[in-house]
């Protein structure tokens, strides 16, 4: 699996982070974060760990294939959500996933 710039961008947006805010919190320049989000470069392991920590997700969430594209598009379409709302949505999706 390859790093998915679309997933990073979707997760940042879904969690309500401005690009400059997230870049500062993970210790990279805004330009570097933009490069990650557009696929020009991929973040190294240290940056991936910091992204996962700030975005409250496993590092594996930044990787995927074409079969997972719908999930990225869905996340991108969602408004910013509170941690409680994110947890409730995750439970709902888990229930759907186990039912299929």
């Amino acid at each position: 699996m390859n790093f998915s710039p679309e997933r990073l961008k979707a997760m940042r947006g879904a969690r309500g982070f401005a690009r400059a805010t997230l870049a500062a919190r993970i210790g990279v320049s805004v330009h570097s974060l933009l490069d990650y989000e557009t696929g020009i470069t991929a973040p190294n392991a240290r940056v991936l760990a910091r992204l996962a920590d700030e975005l409250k997700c496993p590092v594996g969430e930044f990787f995927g294939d074409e079969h997972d594209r719908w999930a990225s598009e869905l996340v991108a379409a969602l408004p910013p959500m509170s941690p409680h709302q994110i947890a409730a949505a995750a439970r709902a999706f888990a229930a759907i996933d186990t039912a299929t």
Side-chain angles (χ1 to χ4, degrees):
M1 287 189 213
N2 293 322
F3 174 76
S4 174
E6 296 86 7
R7 284 184 175 213
L8 170 58
K9 186 174 181 179
M11 284 188 283
R12 178 182 59 77
R15 284 150 177 90
F17 278 105
R19 190 174 287 125
T21 302
L22 182 58
R25 291 180 73 161
I26 64 170
V28 300
S29 69
V30 174
H31 184 75
S32 291
L33 183 56
L34 180 61
D35 285 352
Y36 305 150
E37 290 184 350
T38 55
I40 293 172
T41 59
N44 63 34
R46 177 189 61 83
V47 173
L48 278 171
R50 288 183 178 172
L51 282 166
D53 185 54
E54 288 298 327
L55 296 173
K56 308 294 187 237
C57 68
V59 171
E61 288 294 316
F62 300 114
F63 298 87
D65 57 27
E66 292 300 312
H67 300 290
D68 293 330
R69 183 174 296 275
W70 70 269
S72 294
E73 292 172 0
L74 176 65
V75 170
L78 294 172
M81 296 168 36
S82 72
H84 177 72
Q85 291 170 314
I86 292 170
R91 286 190 301 274
F93 283 115
I96 292 169
D97 189 44
T98 58
T100 57

